[in-house]
Amino acid sequence: EDQVTQSPEALRLQEGESSSLNCSYTVSGLRGLFWYRQDPGKGPEFLFTLYSAGEEKEKERLKATLTKKESFLHITAPKPEDSATYLCAVLSGGYQKVTFGTGTKLQVIP
Amino acid sequence: ETGVTQTPRHLVMGMTNKKSLKCEQHLGHNAMYWYKQSAKKPLELMFVYNFKEQTENNSVPSRFSPECPNSSHLFLHLHTLQPEDSALYLCASSIKDNSYEQYFGPGTRLTVT
């Protein structure tokens, strides 16, 4: 059975304090790994898709990387507006088989 | 209206009621999805529609009945729900049905009493 584990469950950072969120996965035949951001009371917002080990994507203060076992979402010099829950999901094996993690709730304090 | 809209935003219903959730996407996408999001649990994919045809049904109880009259509209009909069905129901759309670059609506917060 495919599994996606995100850590930590919650993370509190001072503004400007860089850190990383982890998404480890066990799947049969990874076809893609996705990062989303979700603000309270809203639906998830798509951030990145990664398809193969070694791939990296960047957007503003966020950088996503992928290995054969895990993905990291690096946040450089975060700002309070980066506070949100970050979700990881994998598409694997058969058609339409998607598995989400439970998310990391990030709080950035001014 | 832009993006993906959902109505109502909040719904409280008894176990014997029948209600429907509505989703509309203004992005010209061909695929639409229903998800369930419960506290402390991962998002669960419920249904997938591609060009109005259902392509996935992840073992969802029959008390949830989807309807997709066209590529822009998606409904989730609810009847005889259980308290454990209380959750945030999210609708999403994408260009095609095998793309997880999805655009989500704000969700409907459902409470079953």
Side-chain angles (χ1 to χ4, degrees), chain A:
Chain A
E1 183 179 330
D2 294 350
Q3 287 191 324
V4 177
T5 304
Q6 291 189 248
S7 60
E9 188 174 317
L11 181 62
R12 196 174 183 199
L13 298 173
Q14 292 289 330
E15 184 172 1
E17 179 187 2
S18 301
S19 187
S20 296
L21 312 183
N22 178 264
C23 172
S24 62
Y25 60 89
T26 305
V27 299
S28 53
L30 179 72
R31 297 171 59 199
L33 185 142
F34 311 88
W35 283 98
Y36 287 85
R37 167 192 171 130
Q38 186 172 22
D39 293 297
K42 295 186 177 182
E45 175 190 345
F46 173 80
L47 293 174
F48 303 110
T49 305
L50 301 167
Y51 292 105
S52 58
E55 190 175 358
E56 299 182 351
K57 293 273 180 75
E58 285 189 70
K59 181 180 180 180
E60 296 179 355
R61 294 177 292 282
L62 301 177
K63 179 180 178 180
T65 61
L66 180 65
T67 73
K68 289 185 177 180
K69 295 182 178 180
E70 58 193 348
S71 176
F72 291 94
L73 185 65
H74 307 279
I75 303 177
T76 302
K79 297 182 178 181
E81 53 262 42
D82 294 322
S83 298
T85 296
Y86 290 84
L87 302 172
C88 170
V90 296
L91 183 65
S92 65
Y95 187 71
Q96 289 296 350
K97 182 166 175 54
V98 61
T99 307
F100 274 84
T102 52
T104 293
K105 186 175 182 179
L106 174 66
Q107 183 183 14
V108 182
I109 304 163

Side-chain angles (χ1 to χ4, degrees), chain B residues 71-90:
Chain B
S71 294
S72 298
H73 294 85
L74 186 65
F75 296 89
L76 188 62
H77 304 298
L78 315 171
H79 65 97
T80 59
L81 294 190
Q82 304 298 310
E84 59 264 29
D85 296 323
S86 299
L88 181 68
Y89 288 85
L90 291 160

Side-chain angles (χ1 to χ4, degrees), chain B:
Chain B
E1 293 275 17
T2 59
V4 181
T5 58
Q6 291 187 242
T7 55
R9 293 294 310 277
H10 300 272
L11 178 62
V12 179
M13 59 185 289
M15 289 190 285
T16 58
N17 292 158
K18 289 184 180 181
K19 296 286 184 182
S20 295
L21 309 184
K22 179 183 176 182
C23 174
E24 184 173 0
Q25 58 96 359
H26 309 268
L27 300 168
H29 289 167
N30 296 311
M32 297 186 77
Y33 311 77
W34 279 117
Y35 286 88
K36 176 182 179 182
Q37 188 174 36
S38 304
K40 302 291 186 182
K41 291 185 178 180
L43 252 71
E44 300 172 49
L45 180 63
M46 300 174 71
F47 300 105
V48 180
Y49 276 84
N50 184 39
F51 289 99
K52 305 185 298 177
E53 298 296 322
Q54 185 174 308
T55 58
E56 190 78 6
N57 174 349
N58 286 335
S59 304
V60 179
S62 59
R63 57 185 182 271
F64 295 92
S65 175
E67 179 189 0
C68 188
N70 54 61
S71 294
S72 298
H73 294 85
L74 186 65
F75 296 89
L76 188 62
H77 304 298
L78 315 171
H79 65 97
T80 59
L81 294 190
Q82 304 298 310
E84 59 264 29
D85 296 323
S86 299
L88 181 68
Y89 288 85
L90 291 160
C91 173
S93 70
S94 63
I95 291 176
K96 56 181 180 178
D97 69 342
N98 205 21
S99 167
Y100 274 82
E101 186 171 338
Q102 296 184 357
Y103 294 80
F104 283 80
T108 295
R109 174 67 63 185
L110 174 67
T111 303
V112 181
T113 60

